[in-house]
Amino acid sequence: MADGPITSGLPAMHPGELLREDVMPALGRTRAEIARLLGVSRQTLHAILSERAPVTPEMALRLGKLCGNGPDLWLALQSRFDLERLSKAKRSEIDAIPTLVAD
């Protein structure tokens, strides 16, 4: 059995990438219109689309409602993205922690 998580071999995707590259073109709406429909500023939406800001639970609720797919996808993408980035940044620190197993 592998020691690490099961991954597909692809790097984690920021949810802003999915929104920018796939969802928004399929919706056929402008960024300003999407921001208005979500009830957020254009700056807030732009920060997510440019992958400078995370998708928060509140934004996941908004995106899930707008897209009709619920918040779980958006939160899962953000979580996987954050974990992958942090695991790389903190690798030596985390590797130094022993794994304890109950007897």
Side-chain angles (χ1 to χ4, degrees):
M1 189 166 160
D3 291 334
I6 298 172
T7 60
S8 64
L10 298 173
M13 173 190 293
H14 188 284
E17 180 182 350
L18 177 66
L19 187 59
R20 179 184 70 241
E21 300 296 326
D22 296 323
V23 175
M24 289 186 60
L27 295 175
R29 306 288 180 110
T30 66
R31 290 180 178 198
E33 190 173 5
I34 294 295
R36 184 183 58 75
L37 292 169
L38 288 170
V40 300
S41 70
R42 289 186 320 240
Q43 293 82 3
T44 296
L45 180 60
H46 180 71
I48 292 168
L49 294 173
S50 63
E51 303 175 30
R52 289 189 333 253
V55 168
T56 63
E58 180 180 344
M59 181 58 78
L61 286 169
R62 292 171 186 272
L63 288 168
K65 175 68 165 100
L66 182 73
C67 299
N69 59 3
D72 294 339
L73 167 71
W74 302 102
L75 287 176
L77 284 171
Q78 187 66 56
S79 180
R80 182 166 183 250
F81 180 81
D82 291 344
L83 283 170
E84 185 175 292
R85 192 177 66 203
L86 275 171
S87 68
K88 288 177 182 175
K90 301 285 186 179
R91 180 171 308 278
S92 62
E93 199 175 321
I94 300 302
D95 286 348
I97 299 170
T99 301
L100 302 179
V101 179
D103 292 330

